[in-house]
């Protein structure tokens, strides 16, 4: 049978059992001959083009094996909310380090890293940020995303591994609260952002914000315009669910004043023993 060659031979997707991993999994079929899907959780039956690997990202040897033979990585795996420090260290700090170190050893050229708006969540809601705005994490979770952004910068400067750091807003089926009218990233736009991040010829190391074309904007993607990401969706269709109010930073409630919303209220947590 004469099969058309796809742009990538083998792509690795971490966090494939999660919310966004499930959305991306089928799209990747069009982009790579083989998609290696991985998670610490069960992954279900592999499709014909898939290889499944249940791996804890904190297991260095297992991650080294996981990354062997892949052309590029979409790294979504890890803890996706604030959590005890010891847990974040394993999944998000050690896990991301293991992944980059394996990428270096196996000659992987490109990583798309799921960072988060919580890397900049302590900026007030009245600010508009771009890729050069200082990191202001709003939680230990946000700190781990800042670590991932710095680690990937180092691996680019030192070893030439390119990374697009996606500061994803709120990527769910629908916005769940007024804040998400600003931070909403539709699943369709999320997939397109990953596609642009994988397919743009040279990206170096770049930060791109992940939001749909929402009426209120906190983030300016001009410095990542070369990715060609043009969101097609908008939170406007959900606006009437939440009463409109002008952005303000004079609220008493920090969850209203800062872009990170309720994440700014979190307490540092120890693992409960
Ligand atoms: P999710 O929590 O649904 O998926 C994360 C996946 O990572 C889960 O399937 C989990 O089992 C896996 N995982 C956790 N610890 C692991 C470990 N030690 N080893 C291997 N796998 C592990 O989160 P979601 O929504 O799919 O997000 C994907 C990525 O995007 C996450 O890194 C998250 O921080 C980031 N992100 C997501 C946003 C959103 O709105 N969905 C917003 C900002 C960032
Ligand atoms: C994130 O980083 C989380 O992974 C996601 O679950 C949401 O909380 C999102 O940010 C958000 O800010 O809405």
């Amino acid at each position: 049978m004469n099969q058309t060659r796809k742009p990538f031979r083998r792509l690795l997707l971490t966090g494939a059992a999660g919310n966004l991993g499930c959305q991306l999994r089928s799209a990747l079929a069009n982009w790579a001959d083989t998609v290696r899907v991985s998670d610490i959780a069960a992954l279900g039956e592999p499709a014909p083009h898939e290889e499944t690997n249940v791996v804890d990202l904190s297991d260095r040897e297992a991650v080294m094996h996981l990354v062997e033979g892949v052309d590029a990585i979409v790294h979504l795996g890890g803890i996706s909310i604030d959590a005890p420090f010891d847990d974040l260290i394993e999944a998000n700090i050690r896990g991301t380090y293991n992944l980059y170190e394996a990428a270096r050893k196996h000659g992987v050229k490109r990583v798309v890293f799921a960072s988060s708006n919580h890397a900049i969540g302590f900026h007030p809601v009245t600010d508009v940020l771009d890729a050069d705005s200082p990191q202001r994490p709003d939680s230990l979770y946000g700190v781990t995303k800042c670590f991932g952004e710095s680690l990937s910068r180092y691996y680019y400067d030192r070893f030439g591994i390119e990374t697009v750091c996606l500061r994803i807003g709120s990527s769910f089926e629908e916005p769940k609260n007024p804040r998400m009218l600003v931070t909403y990233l539709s699943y369709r736009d999320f997939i397109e952002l990953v596609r642009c991040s994988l397919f743009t010829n040279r990206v170096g190391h770049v930060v791109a914000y992940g939001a749909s074309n929402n009426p209120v904007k906190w983030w300016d993607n001009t410095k990542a315009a070369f990715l060609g990401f043009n969101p097609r969706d908008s939170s406007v269709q959900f606006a009437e669910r939440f009463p409109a109010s002008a952005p303000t930073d004079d609220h008493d409630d920090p969850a209203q004043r800062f872009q990170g919303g309720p994440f700014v209220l979190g307490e540092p947590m120890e693992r409960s023993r």
Side-chain angles (χ1 to χ4, degrees):
M1 195 166 63
N2 184 19
Q3 284 189 321
T4 319
R5 199 66 195 275
K6 295 180 182 153
F8 290 95
R9 244 178 344 100
R10 184 178 277 104
L11 282 176
L12 168 63
L13 172 65
T14 71
N19 162 39
L20 295 182
C22 289
Q23 297 301 319
L24 200 55
R25 200 166 155 174
S26 51
L28 292 180
N30 301 318
W31 306 343
D33 297 330
T34 303
V35 181
R36 186 173 291 167
V37 291
S38 178
D39 205 290
I40 198 171
L43 289 154
E45 280 301 304
H49 67 284
E50 285 183 332
E51 301 167 344
T52 50
N53 276 264
V54 174
V55 164
D56 184 339
L57 288 163
S58 69
D59 179 340
R60 188 157 307 160
E61 213 177 303
V63 172
M64 193 57 75
H65 183 64
L66 178 69
V67 170
E68 192 171 1
V70 309
D71 304 320
I73 302 171
V74 181
H75 181 39
L76 307 183
I79 295 176
S80 62
I81 52 172
D82 212 8
F85 182 60
D86 291 343
D87 297 345
L88 287 165
I89 281 210
E90 292 306 318
N92 294 16
I93 303 280
R94 198 182 300 285
T96 304
Y97 168 76
N98 288 345
L99 193 90
Y100 273 89
E101 193 47 18
R104 179 184 75 77
K105 288 219 170 111
H106 291 302
V108 178
K109 301 275 184 285
R110 172 88 51 101
V111 179
V112 180
F113 169 59
S115 182
S116 170
N117 71 87
H118 297 290
I120 42 83
F122 253 124
H123 284 278
V125 295
T126 45
D127 282 3
V128 175
L129 311 179
D130 72 9
D132 292 332
S133 300
Q135 294 174 331
R136 289 182 76 172
D138 57 25
S139 51
L140 289 176
Y141 163 68
V143 172
T144 69
K145 294 301 187 181
C146 293
F147 170 81
E149 293 186 359
S150 294
L151 185 79
S152 57
R153 176 85 242 180
Y154 167 65
Y155 272 82
Y156 176 62
D157 289 339
R158 179 66 183 85
F159 305 113
I161 299 176
E162 296 191 305
T163 293
V164 184
C165 295
L166 304 180
R167 287 187 182 159
I168 301 167
S170 305
S171 195
F172 298 104
E173 188 75 48
E174 297 178 350
K176 300 174 184 177
N177 53 47
R179 172 181 172 271
M180 288 194 192
L181 293 177
V182 186
T183 57
Y184 176 63
L185 175 68
S186 71
Y187 288 145
R188 178 167 71 163
D189 286 339
F190 166 71
I191 292 167
E192 173 62 5
L193 181 56
V194 174
R195 193 191 66 77
C196 293
S197 303
L198 283 172
F199 284 82
T200 299
N201 196 22
R202 291 210 57 225
V203 297
H205 183 273
V206 65
V207 167
Y209 290 91
S212 287
N213 189 19
N214 305 327
V216 176
K217 294 177 174 55
W218 289 338
W219 309 318
D220 171 357
N221 256 341
T222 305
K223 287 173 179 149
F226 63 89
L227 294 176
F229 171 56
N230 289 308
R232 291 164 66 190
D233 295 315
S234 167
S235 64
V236 75
Q237 59 174 309
F238 306 103
E240 63 189 22
R241 291 190 197 169
F242 306 105
S245 60
T248 172
D249 61 1
D250 61 5
H251 276 286
D252 290 338
D253 178 5
Q256 306 281 330
R257 275 174 41 215
F258 297 108
Q259 297 192 0
F263 278 62
V264 306
L265 301 171
E267 298 289 333
M269 285 181 276
E270 299 299 329
R271 185 202 291 273
S272 46
R273 292 177 197 279

